[in-house]
Amino acid sequence: MGNEIIIDVQQEAISIALLKDERVVEFIKEEHKNACLVGNIFIGTVKKIMPGLNAAFIDIGQDKEGFLHYLDLGRSFSATNEFTKNILADRKRKPEIKVDESNDLEKEGNIANILSTGQKILVQVIKEPISTKGARLTGEISLAGRNIVLLPFQNKTTVSQKISSKEERNRLRNLVKSLKPENYGVIIRTVAEGKKVTELDNELKILTKRWESAILSIQKSKGNELILEEINRTESLLRDVFTPNFESIYVNNKEVYQEICDYVKLIAPECKNIIKFYNEETPIFDHFAITKQIKSLFGRTVSFKRGAYLIIEHTEALTVIDVNSGNRTRSSKGQEENALEVNLAAAEEIAHQIRLRDIGGIIVIDFIDLADSDNRQTLYDYMTQLMSEDRARHNILPLSKFCLMQITRHRVRPAISVDVEETCPTCFGKGKTKPSILFTDQLEDQLDFLVTEKNYKYKKVILQVHPYIDAYIKKGFFSLYRKWKFKYKINLKIQPIQSLGFLQYRFLTAKKEEINLHE
């Protein structure tokens, strides 16, 4: 199996799992009420200047004020600021973008000389609000596409250093220079290598059109508000990770399916057939064995090989990972060789966990002690190799003599946290419940209530239960399932759901809306 993307769209959230050989390597869950802010452009007001930090706090209309450091203003902030002033002074006229490199900000300067309290400025979110901190902001506006990044208020054209061919770099640079509008800068991304002029030209026009819509939003703005929203999380992920190597993309929502079809047709028309709409009764994550993987991978303790395990602790300042050999049977190789073997296996799982949970900031790993410096170097080299596939910027320091490794990884949003522990849905943590043998009687009572008290309001009822309960209810020819259907003369469907607790259940309508039994 190759690479697959599985997208589970629910009423309250959207979850995206990236599979490599059927193993979850990336997982993103975003609640609709907590949409991602990274990439969004805001018009904001300077609320407070902090000379000691050489930074300012900006009101962008969110719960917390954003943080803007002098170094994040951008060299071309003077042009951005002048444009913003002009457009707010005369909202009916669209001012020209003027780039004058002689007015570029110095690398070392004082933000108090640039900004003043109450000033309106244009900013973009580069880091999500985390814990008590507000969003991290920049004054350097950019619009990211699949192959290129458009930079209003700049005039430079740069090419990704990862494109090794000098001829290809020159071709792309000259091509884009001939296409881009005046006073716009462009960054050519790695995936643009080998792309034809029509693809780059079309994307440039799309990004320019998005910026034009942002200008209209600035003209209509009434306060501190969102000017231009980044494309949704699903398309953003596809933009960053999608390659022709993907075998399939499965989506369980018709509307999102159509959005992805349109987007893939735009960035890679030859791959449009790999997008598939999932319309089976079994939940999409259960069908692809993702639910079980998430339950086993997101706990505080993660087992990885022959009884060895990791303990992962998240704190305010950093993430600590402890490597333990557990009850692993020692071989005849000796303590040092055994420790190296466990550490190398742990490195594989740690690299996987860092990417899976999107752990950022400072990461400290306590490996099993290695006395031999050559073995520590082997472990360091192996970890560097494993982390080379990580798209996030990171830096790995060599192991200390205590076998501690420090990693810094670019943090854009809080680490993914999934609560894998289940509170008993019957006793609610009290420790006492009704006899479990009576659970099916409880289900029948609820079904009887739906039929008699609701006066056959529901033509079809879906009962979701744990897979073990599903197997018990359907066991044998004269099963409880068959008995209930004949007794109550109702279109009943039993559906096994892996994410439910052992004695947890839900009744749904034909439209898969949960029935409130306590109305």
Side-chain angles (χ1 to χ4, degrees):
M1 296 292 290
N3 294 342
E4 295 178 302
I5 293 179
I6 314 299
I7 302 170
D8 179 23
V9 182
Q10 298 296 333
Q11 189 174 358
E12 67 282 352
I14 180 168
S15 302
I16 305 168
L18 175 59
L19 305 185
K20 187 173 183 179
D21 297 328
E22 299 184 353
R23 188 187 189 202
V24 180
V25 293
E26 284 193 40
F27 178 72
I28 297 168
K29 183 173 183 178
E30 185 177 289
E31 296 183 1
H32 296 306
K33 63 181 181 180
N34 297 325
C36 180
L37 294 179
V38 172
N40 290 356
I41 300 173
F42 291 85
I43 189 81
T45 304
V46 179
K47 297 296 289 184
K48 192 184 300 181
I49 305 289
M50 305 293 289
L53 298 174
N54 203 14
F57 287 98
I58 315 297
D59 182 1
I60 56 173
Q62 299 293 305
D63 295 337
K64 300 172 184 174
E65 294 173 354
F67 180 82
L68 177 63
H69 194 273
Y70 176 85
L71 296 176
D72 292 323
L73 285 173
R75 297 294 297 276
S76 59
F77 181 76
S78 298
T80 310
N81 194 36
E82 186 66 24
F83 179 85
T84 307
K85 283 181 181 178
N86 291 337
I87 201 170
L88 293 178
D90 187 356
R91 295 175 185 263
K92 295 182 179 180
R93 185 177 64 86
K94 175 186 169 184
E96 294 183 7
I97 295 178
K98 297 179 181 180
V99 177
D100 184 0
E101 294 184 359
S102 62
N103 289 331
D104 283 358
L105 295 187
E106 299 175 356
K107 288 186 177 180
E108 296 182 4
N110 193 332
I111 198 168
N113 298 330
I114 308 298
L115 300 180
S116 57
T117 305
Q119 180 180 345
K120 291 281 187 180
I121 61 171
L122 200 62
V123 290
Q124 188 170 21
V125 177
I126 55 174
K127 186 182 289 187
E128 288 283 319
I130 297 175
S131 186
T132 58
K133 301 174 182 177
R136 183 76 179 259
L137 307 175
T138 179
E140 193 168 28
I141 308 301
S142 64
L143 286 82
R146 167 75 174 161
N147 301 296
I148 58 179
V149 179
L150 183 67
L151 306 169
F153 313 108
Q154 298 190 36
N155 212 5
K156 61 182 179 181
T157 302
T158 58
V159 186
S160 168
Q161 296 293 329
K162 293 182 180 179
I163 299 178
S164 55
S165 170
K166 187 176 180 181
E167 291 77 12
E168 178 64 8
R169 289 165 60 84
N170 289 334
R171 182 188 77 87
L172 290 171
R173 184 182 289 106
N174 294 331
L175 191 62
V176 170
K177 275 185 177 180
S178 66
L179 296 174
K180 76 177 185 69
E182 189 178 358
N183 293 326
Y184 283 84
V186 173
I187 298 174
I188 303 170
R189 306 181 74 176
T190 308
V191 290
E193 186 172 7
K195 290 294 191 296
K196 297 179 181 178
V197 61
T198 50
E199 293 180 71
L200 299 177
D201 186 37
N202 287 338
E203 187 166 39
L204 195 57
K205 287 177 180 176
I206 291 170
L207 294 176
T208 306
K209 189 175 180 180
R210 289 194 72 218
W211 173 243
E212 294 288 337
S213 68
I215 294 174
L216 289 175
S217 297
I218 298 172
Q219 291 174 323
K220 296 176 182 177
S221 64
K222 297 179 181 179
N224 307 317
E225 59 187 74
L226 178 65
I227 295 301
L228 184 67
E229 189 171 11
E230 172 68 300
I231 59 177
N232 65 53
R233 193 74 193 99
T234 309
E235 292 183 10
S236 177
L237 177 75
L238 289 176
R239 181 187 66 197
D240 294 335
V241 307
F242 183 81
T243 68
N245 296 329
F246 276 98
E247 291 187 354
S248 52
I249 300 173
Y250 289 93
V251 194
N252 65 346
N253 179 278
K254 204 71 177 176
E255 184 179 337
V256 176
Y257 167 78
Q258 193 57 53
E259 289 177 2
I260 294 174
C261 285
D262 295 340
Y263 187 68
V264 171
K265 284 178 186 176
L266 184 66
I267 65 173
E270 70 280 4
C271 298
K272 62 182 180 182
N273 293 328
I274 71 172
I275 309 164
K276 300 167 185 175
F277 178 61
Y278 181 85
N279 194 28
E280 303 296 328
E281 289 291 340
T282 305
I284 188 169
F285 273 14
D286 289 4
H287 177 81
F288 289 97
I290 296 172
T291 303
K292 187 175 181 181
Q293 289 191 59
I294 290 172
K295 292 284 187 183
S296 65
L297 290 171
F298 276 92
R300 176 177 176 267
T301 302
V302 180
S303 300
F304 62 89
K305 192 176 183 181
R306 300 181 197 170
Y309 61 94
L310 307 174
I311 295 179
I312 303 175
E313 293 280 7
H314 298 281
T315 72
E316 185 76 17
L318 48 81
T319 300
V320 181
I321 302 177
D322 184 33
V323 180
N324 295 274
S325 59
N327 57 3
R328 184 177 181 276
T329 304
R330 297 183 180 275
S331 67
S332 57
K333 296 178 182 178
Q335 182 177 347
E336 183 77 4
E337 287 300 312
N338 273 292
L340 179 61
E341 185 180 338
V342 173
N343 283 340
L344 292 175
E348 292 183 24
E349 185 59 36
I350 289 168
H352 177 221
Q353 288 287 330
I354 288 174
R355 186 180 175 191
L356 179 68
R357 302 186 188 211
D358 198 15
I359 302 173
I362 301 172
I363 306 165
V364 177
I365 306 167
D366 182 12
F367 285 104
I368 298 172
D369 287 350
L370 293 170
D372 192 334
S373 60
D374 289 340
N375 287 338
R376 292 200 295 269
Q377 184 63 40
T378 299
L379 178 57
Y380 169 76
D381 293 339
Y382 189 53
M383 192 69 184
T384 303
Q385 177 190 333
L386 292 168
M387 291 291 290
S388 63
E389 298 181 8
D390 194 345
R391 291 180 290 111
R393 296 197 310 271
H394 60 272
N395 184 35
I396 305 175
L397 298 182
L399 282 88
S400 71
K401 65 179 181 179
F402 302 113
C403 228
L404 293 175
M405 178 181 285
Q406 299 175 68
I407 300 176
T408 59
R409 186 174 183 269
H410 183 53
R411 176 161 63 182
V412 174
R413 59 188 63 84
I416 298 291
S417 177
V418 178
D419 188 4
V420 297
E421 295 183 349
E422 298 174 355
T423 301
C424 175
T426 308
C427 73
F428 301 103
K430 295 177 181 178
K432 293 184 178 181
T433 180
K434 296 178 181 178
S436 57
I437 194 67
L438 302 180
F439 178 64
T440 53
D441 293 345
Q442 182 184 350
L443 291 179
E444 186 175 358
D445 288 344
Q446 298 288 17
L447 188 60
D448 180 73
F449 172 76
L450 285 176
V451 173
T452 57
E453 297 298 325
K454 298 290 184 179
N455 298 318
Y456 290 91
K457 176 182 176 182
Y458 304 105
K459 301 295 183 183
K460 179 181 179 181
V461 173
I462 301 171
L463 172 58
Q464 293 184 337
V465 292
H466 188 276
Y468 289 173
I469 302 299
D470 170 73
Y472 179 78
I473 292 174
K474 294 177 180 176
K475 180 182 177 182
F477 182 79
F478 296 103
S479 64
L480 286 172
Y481 172 55
R482 189 181 294 270
K483 172 190 169 185
W484 292 347
K485 287 189 69 173
F486 280 105
K487 180 178 180 180
Y488 296 106
K489 296 180 176 59
I490 189 171
N491 187 356
L492 175 66
K493 183 173 182 62
I494 312 292
Q495 191 176 56
I497 303 294
Q498 294 179 12
S499 59
L500 290 181
F502 185 60
L503 298 180
Q504 193 175 3
Y505 62 91
R506 284 195 296 254
F507 283 99
L508 307 180
T509 66
K511 295 181 179 179
K512 296 186 178 180
E513 297 173 348
E514 187 169 357
I515 300 172
N516 186 354
L517 297 171
H518 303 289
E519 283 184 335

